[in-house]
Amino acid sequence: MSSTEDISLKTKLLQLECHFTWALRKEDTDPTDLLNRLEEQINYDLGKEGGAAHTYNSLGFVKYLLGSHDEALSNLQRSVELTKEYHGEDCEKLLVVSYGNLAWLHYHMKAYEECESYLNKLKEIKEKHFPDSTFATYPQVLGEKGWIFLKFSRTYYERAKECFRKALEMEPAEGEWNAGYAIALYRTETDLPNLTDSPTVKQLRRAIETNPDNDVLKVLLGLKMAVYKKYDEAEGLVETALKNSPEHPHVMRYVGKFFRHKGSADRAIALLKRALNRVPNSSFIHHQLALSYKTKIVLLRREGSHHSKGAEIQRIRNQLIYHLEMATTLRPSFILAMSELAVQYGQNGDTSKAEKLFQDTFQVAKEKNDACQLVHFCYAEFQMFSMRCEPQAIKHYIEGLKMGPDTAKGRKCAEKLGKIAESRIGKNQQDGEAHGILGFIHKEQGEIQQAIKCYEEALRYEDNEEYLTHLCDLRLSLK
């Protein structure tokens, strides 16, 4: 093929709507973990009707990312077969994404005739079904794009939400788009003060109406209702979902999360172990099991003397660490699990191992621009309680608070800093740094007058240029 022909072919390919043109960057995901999750979805038929066809499409793309072109081709062809099987031969417009993927894959395999063949098929579909519009506005394309964004990475959740929202504008009663939009909202919404303010709760109810047999949606709604202390409805939803789908791995893992939040650690552990037997390569379930063991340790400590329960707590911590190590082995860039594992190494006395893992975690979080606030908070906890280094703890609580005072971890950073400052002032009223810390908390939370008062107090006892700068800026903001 000449360079001119190659440019012409590449130009046509770039105009397609498929995984190859949706800017899905390999560095934004963990391909092996994504592969495990997609295979899990196929093995347990978690989709309905043609949903498996979408999964095979995504599976083919991930196989391509991993360099397995023949397996990628097999999965993409299976996607086409399933679409025809579910919808009959008259399903051309449902094959837009599959044909686009196949055209791209054949191009990369240097099978240019086959590539051109799929481009011609797509041209015919466009002329027949979309003469006055583009593939990009077709709900099926938007929906499939939304699902892979949800699967691929946390950093793509907002894009997933937008895809499902647009698809629903055209097909508001479609169950699949309602479910996808509800899940995208669930994953992106921070907890709001009032139930009535939550778009997620409203959309989950709508999604359940259009997907009455989807027990995963019921558990997600149950988890949200528990946040707003609507425990009766929450438990009803969760128990119904578990009764209807007792062996569904996604239902089990979310129900396990519900019971953990409720403080029923043993019930959560039992459920999650069952789920793990069905999907042993799930990093999510290993992580949830670890968090359940962590809850069990907290509950045991509340019951009585640490010394009398020391051996049992250590046994549970060993289980906790094992499941976190499994989660991070299965998904090496699992920032939440990495951070928690580093904290647990510290609490287990292995501070050098914890320090090394924290530095690796900071690097991953920075590269992915994801969960940086969480890592600062966890590292501050490690410095405070394992290393007994209050200055380093303060430094990282401050870094965490700077990244957003209104998030759950931002509020935690503010709370921890406040306790440190109040404790120090209780011992020494003239501790200028402690007053400065309180000033910083108020400043970040938008409480200007309180911040000014604290910085003025700090400057009475400590000549600090940073406090003076903050004070001047705050006074100017009031003019």
Side-chain angles (χ1 to χ4, degrees):
M1 174 178 287
S2 70
S3 59
T4 304
E5 289 172 327
D6 183 66
I7 292 170
S8 174
L9 187 58
K10 192 77 173 284
T11 301
K12 293 176 186 176
L13 288 167
L14 288 169
Q15 293 171 1
L16 302 182
E17 283 291 330
C18 63
H19 293 64
F20 288 84
T21 61
W22 289 338
L24 298 163
R25 303 192 316 155
K26 185 178 179 179
E27 54 267 36
D28 288 336
T29 192
D30 183 323
T32 303
D33 176 67
L34 179 55
L35 189 67
N36 286 336
R37 287 185 283 123
L38 291 169
E39 288 176 342
E40 169 194 326
Q41 186 158 343
I42 286 170
N43 289 340
Y44 292 96
D45 193 26
L46 302 184
K48 67 182 180 71
E49 295 184 350
H54 299 337
T55 308
Y56 274 107
N57 239 338
S58 297
L59 197 58
F61 180 70
V62 176
K63 289 287 188 182
Y64 159 77
L65 290 180
L66 292 168
S68 302
H69 289 185
D70 289 339
E71 290 183 71
L73 181 59
S74 175
N75 281 296
L76 293 177
Q77 289 171 337
R78 181 63 179 146
S79 174
V80 173
E81 290 169 8
L82 285 173
T83 302
K84 291 179 177 179
E85 182 180 322
Y86 283 120
H87 302 283
E89 288 297 322
D90 188 24
C91 62
E92 293 171 319
K93 61 183 181 179
L94 301 178
L95 293 169
V96 168
V97 175
S98 298
Y99 284 170
N101 283 335
L102 282 161
W104 267 100
L105 183 62
H106 281 109
Y107 173 79
H108 286 300
M109 295 172 75
K110 297 186 175 9
Y112 300 120
E113 286 188 16
E114 288 85 349
C115 174
E116 288 278 13
S117 172
Y118 282 106
L119 285 172
N120 288 333
K121 289 176 190 286
L122 286 163
K123 183 180 178 183
E124 290 171 8
I125 293 170
K126 172 78 171 62
E127 291 172 350
K128 182 177 179 180
H129 298 285
F130 307 97
D132 301 317
S133 62
T134 66
F135 290 146
T137 60
Y138 181 43
Q140 291 289 338
V141 169
L142 286 164
E144 191 157 355
K145 194 174 184 179
W147 284 120
I148 188 57
F149 281 162
L150 269 185
K151 285 279 182 189
F152 208 75
S153 168
R154 287 161 52 92
T155 56
Y156 292 68
Y157 287 172
E158 288 294 336
R159 280 179 268 180
K161 189 164 66 177
E162 186 64 10
C163 287
F164 288 122
R165 186 189 65 75
K166 288 180 178 178
L168 283 170
E169 285 179 357
M170 289 172 275
E171 295 182 349
E174 173 54 49
E176 191 177 344
W177 318 149
N178 274 289
Y181 191 43
I183 294 168
L185 284 171
Y186 177 86
R187 294 184 185 178
T188 54
E189 181 181 279
T190 54
D191 294 330
L192 299 166
N194 300 307
L195 174 63
T196 52
D197 295 331
S198 171
T200 301
V201 170
K202 180 180 178 182
Q203 181 57 33
L204 279 167
R205 293 195 192 283
R206 171 63 177 155
I208 291 168
E209 285 178 13
T210 56
N211 300 269
D213 297 326
N214 190 321
D215 291 306
V216 171
L217 294 173
K218 291 169 192 168
V219 183
L220 294 181
L221 180 57
L223 284 164
K224 288 299 287 186
M225 298 310 290
V227 168
Y228 295 105
K229 298 182 170 51
K230 303 291 184 181
Y231 297 118
D232 288 344
E233 183 180 359
E235 290 204 27
L237 285 160
V238 168
E239 295 290 358
T240 297
L242 192 57
K243 180 181 177 182
N244 292 343
S245 304
E247 299 301 321
H248 191 306
H250 283 189
V251 170
M252 284 191 283
R253 74 191 200 184
Y254 285 123
V255 172
K257 184 176 181 179
F258 174 84
F259 285 123
R260 173 171 62 82
H261 286 174
K262 188 183 174 185
S264 303
D266 287 331
R267 190 168 181 188
I269 289 167
L271 263 175
L272 290 165
K273 280 184 173 179
R274 270 175 51 205
L276 196 61
N277 286 335
R278 293 180 69 83
V279 281
N281 291 328
S282 171
S283 59
F284 180 95
I285 295 176
H286 277 291
H287 183 233
Q288 288 297 314
L289 257 172
L291 295 180
S292 298
Y293 281 116
K294 182 180 178 182
T295 299
K296 190 170 175 66
I297 289 174
V298 172
L299 295 172
L300 281 170
R301 283 177 166 165
R302 286 177 186 168
E303 289 175 7
S305 168
H306 296 187
H307 298 294
S308 65
K309 298 181 184 295
E312 185 177 1
I313 287 174
Q314 186 58 50
R315 179 184 61 80
I316 295 169
R317 175 167 282 116
N318 291 341
Q319 285 292 305
L320 194 170
I321 289 173
Y322 165 76
H323 286 291
L324 287 172
E325 288 177 338
M326 286 299 297
T328 54
T329 298
L330 289 163
R331 185 177 163 194
S333 59
F334 195 165
I335 298 171
L336 275 67
M338 293 169 76
S339 301
E340 185 60 49
L341 180 56
V343 168
Q344 293 302 323
Y345 281 153
Q347 292 187 7
N348 211 35
D350 199 341
T351 54
S352 61
K353 200 171 184 178
E355 180 66 46
K356 182 181 184 309
L357 182 54
F358 266 121
Q359 296 313 312
D360 291 343
T361 309
F362 272 116
Q363 184 65 28
V364 173
K366 184 179 178 181
E367 287 173 358
K368 290 182 171 290
N369 191 27
D370 184 30
C372 294
Q373 186 181 49
L374 167 77
V375 184
H376 277 292
F377 174 78
C378 289
Y379 190 61
E381 294 280 280
F382 166 69
Q383 289 291 339
M384 191 73 185
F385 300 108
S386 295
M387 301 301 290
R388 307 293 180 187
C389 182
E390 187 177 277
Q392 279 295 309
I394 291 170
K395 175 184 174 182
H396 287 277
Y397 285 134
I398 285 174
E399 287 302 314
L401 182 55
K402 283 179 182 176
M403 292 178 177
D406 297 326
T407 66
K409 282 293 176 280
R411 289 190 288 271
K412 275 284 187 184
C413 287
E415 179 188 328
K416 297 283 186 172
L417 285 168
K419 285 181 179 179
I420 291 170
E422 295 290 356
S423 174
R424 284 171 53 167
I425 291 169
K427 295 172 185 173
N428 176 15
Q429 177 63 34
Q430 297 182 8
D431 188 329
E433 185 186 7
H435 287 289
I437 290 169
L438 290 178
F440 175 75
I441 295 169
H442 288 304
K443 178 176 76 72
E444 290 298 307
Q445 294 177 337
E447 298 161 349
I448 307 301
Q449 294 289 1
Q450 296 98 312
I452 289 173
K453 183 178 178 182
C454 288
Y455 279 127
E456 287 175 340
E457 192 73 8
L459 286 164
R460 287 180 61 190
Y461 309 116
E462 183 178 342
D463 184 12
N464 185 301
E465 189 174 331
E466 183 182 349
Y467 299 161
L468 184 59
T469 300
H470 287 321
L471 184 59
C472 292
D473 289 344
L474 288 165
R475 285 172 173 164
L476 283 171
S477 72
L478 292 176
K479 290 183 179 180

